[in-house]
Amino acid sequence: MKYPLAITNWLIDMYGTNIMLGYDIMCAFSITLERSSIGKKARDANLKGIVPSFHGYAHNRACQLEWHPLYTNGVGLEDFEECEHTLSQSNQLAAVTRLATPYHRHQQINEFFLHHDQDKYVMSADFIYHNYRQALETICSSQAELSILSENLHLESHDYENYISDELEYLNTLKEERPSVDNGQEYVTLFEKLFKAKEESFKATTAYEELVCNIQVQGEQFRNVGESKKIKTHYRVTWKQLQVIEEEVLRFCYSCRGFEGDHLIETRWTSEMPEYQNAVRESTRHKYSRAVDELERLVVQRLLEMAKLGIAGIGMLSGSFLPIL
């Protein structure tokens, strides 16, 4: 991520404030940018990010609602895909550079991009003018249709904005749990791992003690180098795993010190306690519910994407699915 950060820093130094930056993975890069050494600089410059139109449709629906130009104020008609357009135009270089020497190949590429930059600079005013005209024509042609739809559906202008926020909230609700639920599930999961690790460690310890005892009683005649090494390795690995999980439990209980008190857990659970067994059953049901929620999120998300693309209903005939041969 050092190159995008360096480019972002250069853009701020060159163009100042109020920059809208398009990047194919801006949704992920924004986190890196926020935590980087230029995070404060980007915030002070009011730098905003966007995922370009072409690449944006490859992201999930929730990401599109937050990062796609279609749902972002201030981007106008820009699709942020100039790099794709430029690379597409540069394909014509292949025919003239394929059999050229390295020197002439580099010369052709350099000349192409030099003229491309000059043409873009010369045509920038014309580009802005035509975009402005297109925006006015779009507003003029769509305003009448929007008014008719709003009247028929009894909607106001703010309702359309609310639809987007409600859709995003719905998708995020299916994706994320409340902190209290997350803590409860993590608590149960940690103890499941702890009890399983204790069981594995106990078995490994028993096997190791039997090995030591047999060697002491029967001497070197009993020794099987391969088997002994396997038992010793398993003993060390399970013991280390148990220590790691015990540390995880301690860290969790320390970071969520109020969890056990809030849930009236006076004595830390053991695998035989009814409270733990009930919690495990509840955790299993919860995992199933989360799987159903995730399936619902993906299905609804896909249906919304198909509706936006105007292809909802494809694959159906007279209310039934077409057979797939």
Side-chain angles (χ1 to χ4, degrees), residues 13 16 21 46 60 77 83 86 114 131 158 178 272 280 310 321:
D13 292 338
L21 176 62
N46 194 31
N60 62 56
L77 299 175
C83 289
T86 303
L114 178 63
N131 266 17
H158 63 271
R178 299 189 307 274
E272 294 80 14
V280 170
F321 285 101

Side-chain angles (χ1 to χ4, degrees), residues 243-296:
Q243 288 181 316
V244 170
I245 295 174
E246 286 178 340
E247 290 177 0
E248 288 183 16
V249 173
L250 290 175
R251 282 198 300 269
F252 175 81
C253 293
Y254 178 78
S255 60
C256 302
R257 282 174 287 185
F259 179 81
E260 292 181 339
D262 293 341
H263 292 76
L264 304 178
I265 301 176
E266 298 178 357
T267 304
R268 189 156 293 171
W269 289 342
T270 63
S271 58
E272 294 80 14
M273 294 179 66
E275 294 87 348
Y276 168 74
Q277 296 173 1
N278 292 334
V280 170
R281 285 192 290 269
E282 184 64 29
S283 176
T284 303
R285 285 194 294 268
H286 178 266
K287 290 177 182 177
Y288 174 78
S289 299
R290 289 296 299 151
V292 174
D293 286 344
E294 178 65 11
L295 178 61
E296 177 186 346

Side-chain angles (χ1 to χ4, degrees), residues 58-99:
H59 294 226
N60 62 56
R61 179 63 182 169
C63 180
Q64 292 179 30
L65 293 173
E66 291 189 272
W67 297 98
H68 199 278
L70 184 63
Y71 307 104
T72 304
N73 293 327
V75 301
L77 299 175
E78 177 59 40
D79 59 4
F80 294 87
E81 293 288 2
E82 179 58 32
C83 289
E84 298 296 329
H85 300 322
T86 303
L87 291 174
S88 178
Q89 293 175 9
S90 68
N91 287 337
Q92 57 188 296
L93 284 170
V96 296
T97 61
R98 182 180 179 184
L99 301 178

Side-chain angles (χ1 to χ4, degrees), residues 18 40 115 120 140 159 165 183 203 208 251 253 284 300:
N18 300 322
K40 185 178 184 304
H115 287 293
K120 284 293 180 180
C140 182
D159 292 326
S165 59
N183 289 338
K203 292 179 181 178
Y208 177 73
R251 282 198 300 269
C253 293
T284 303
V300 173

Side-chain angles (χ1 to χ4, degrees), residues 103-166:
Y103 171 78
H104 289 96
R105 185 182 300 116
H106 294 164
Q107 186 182 48
Q108 288 282 354
I109 294 173
N110 183 68
E111 287 293 323
F112 171 83
F113 284 104
L114 178 63
H115 287 293
H116 178 272
D117 291 346
Q118 293 174 349
D119 290 342
K120 284 293 180 180
Y121 182 76
V122 171
M123 297 296 294
S124 58
D126 190 57
F127 171 78
I128 295 173
Y129 170 72
H130 284 292
N131 266 17
Y132 180 68
R133 286 193 57 183
Q134 184 182 353
L136 292 179
E137 291 172 0
T138 301
I139 293 173
C140 182
S141 61
S142 302
Q143 194 166 13
E145 298 177 6
L146 183 61
S147 300
I148 295 173
L149 288 173
S150 298
E151 184 178 353
N152 293 337
L153 298 174
H154 306 289
L155 297 174
E156 301 292 339
S157 58
H158 63 271
D159 292 326
Y160 301 111
E161 299 292 339
N162 292 338
Y163 285 153
I164 296 177
S165 59
D166 291 344

